Amino acid sequence: EDDMAMGTHRSHGYYLAKGGSLRRLAAELFGRSNGAARGKGGSMHMVDRSAGFAGTTPLLGSVAPIASGLAFAKKYTKAPGIVTAFYGDGASEEGVVYETYNLASLYKVPLLLVLENNSWSINSPVKNRRSAGYDVEKIVTGLGMRYARADGNDYEDVHAKASALAADIRAGKGPAVLECMTYRHLAHSTPLMEEKFRTEDTLDRRLEADPLLKLKNKLVASGVAEGVLAQEEEVMRVQARADIAWALQQPYPQKTDLHTDIYA
């Protein structure tokens, strides 16, 4: 509970994973006053300090220095916990990310940066953005941070490596980067649904590596009945529908709320 997390402009999953409320998330997406940010943040500016979710930013790459600042504050005030932030391979090429690696290492702040590498930045593949000698591990370790790489489509691999890095960070060994190799299931966003350019990453290949399907198959192979999993899924589906229905019934913010939560 002492840990904090930050994400990008697509952070619904991170917020829920940190312990956030689906009800408050749905209400926030609908702009209701009972939302996580009282209807003021919406999808791209999610924040809920009560859940340890420090916020999101749609400025790609900027989550790294902000999270590093939060981690520095923890160290400076001797507060417990670590800070985790998520960003993509495209955002990792922003200059401010390299600066963050250096300063976070210099001050040994309790920071875990999770780099989700799906090999695409909008419609630009890695090979069109990086030189042949570009090496993430060398860049990260060269600037002083520790590094690990995980199969981003394998729950157990990500969990094991993230847990190990987090334990070291808690022990005062300094910040780290966990690069998760994954893929993008769908197009970049709704206006860019054309996917014919993805010749080497076809839908069939992506579905074969679906992490949820892989995890389900592992559970079944270990002896968990498919009926039990189906029942669990239905329970969660019913709860999700109830939470969304609740959110739709919540009031919108008042006009006077425009003048709260501001600095001046």
Side-chain angles (χ1 to χ4, degrees):
E1 292 185 357
D2 294 321
D3 294 338
M4 301 179 77
M6 290 195 70
T8 68
H9 54 300
R10 296 188 179 92
S11 290
H12 309 148
Y14 308 137
Y15 170 64
L16 294 175
K18 185 60 182 69
S21 161
L22 179 56
R23 281 191 168 198
R24 297 190 70 199
L25 169 62
E28 186 63 32
L29 299 185
F30 297 141
R32 307 306 171 97
S33 60
N34 288 341
R38 294 191 284 281
K40 297 181 177 184
S43 183
M44 297 179 73
H45 298 278
M46 277 291 303
V47 58
D48 185 353
R49 289 299 182 97
S50 68
F53 195 74
T56 65
T57 168
L59 301 178
L60 297 183
S62 66
V63 70
I66 297 173
S68 185
L70 289 170
F72 178 81
K74 279 187 172 292
K75 181 172 182 178
Y76 187 78
T77 61
K78 296 181 172 58
I82 69 173
V83 179
T84 300
F86 301 83
Y87 58 119
D89 54 288
S92 74
E93 294 156 10
E94 293 288 342
V96 71
V97 176
Y98 304 117
E99 295 175 39
T100 298
Y101 293 162
N102 179 56
L103 287 175
S105 302
L106 178 65
Y107 293 110
K108 284 195 171 182
V109 299
L111 175 69
L112 174 61
L113 293 176
V114 181
L115 170 53
E116 298 177 352
N117 188 344
N118 67 16
S119 78
W120 291 93
S121 179
I122 307 182
N123 292 345
S124 300
V126 165
K127 63 183 180 182
N128 289 353
R129 306 184 336 250
R130 298 178 178 177
S131 67
Y134 192 104
D135 188 310
V136 175
E137 182 175 6
K138 288 181 179 179
I139 291 170
V140 171
T141 57
L143 289 170
M145 291 184 73
R146 289 172 301 111
Y147 171 89
R149 177 180 293 172
D151 178 354
N153 299 328
D154 187 317
Y155 166 80
E156 292 176 330
D157 191 40
V158 172
H159 183 272
K161 289 173 179 173
S163 298
L165 289 177
D168 286 344
I169 295 170
R170 296 183 200 282
K173 295 183 180 180
V177 171
L178 174 64
E179 184 176 23
C180 296
M181 310 307 292
T182 181
Y183 60 86
R184 195 173 71 205
H185 249 306
L186 302 174
H188 172 69
S189 63
T190 304
L192 297 169
M193 293 304 292
E194 178 58 60
E195 290 280 32
K196 291 181 180 178
F197 59 86
R198 293 176 68 169
T199 56
E200 70 275 14
D201 188 15
T202 62
L203 178 61
D204 289 344
R205 289 183 62 185
R206 300 200 301 270
L207 291 178
E208 285 178 6
D210 184 336
L212 292 177
L213 182 59
K214 287 172 68 174
L215 180 58
K216 178 181 178 180
N217 290 338
K218 280 186 177 182
L219 290 170
V220 171
S222 69
V224 179
E226 288 196 46
V228 171
L229 294 176
Q231 185 177 10
E232 288 291 333
E233 285 187 16
E234 185 58 25
V235 169
M236 287 184 279
R237 189 173 290 108
V238 170
Q239 183 61 55
R241 287 171 177 161
D243 288 344
I244 292 170
W246 175 88
L248 285 168
Q249 298 301 314
Q250 301 311 300
Y252 288 104
Q254 301 294 314
K255 288 184 178 180
T256 52
D257 292 332
L258 284 171
H259 305 289
T260 60
D261 305 308
I262 55 179
Y263 286 106

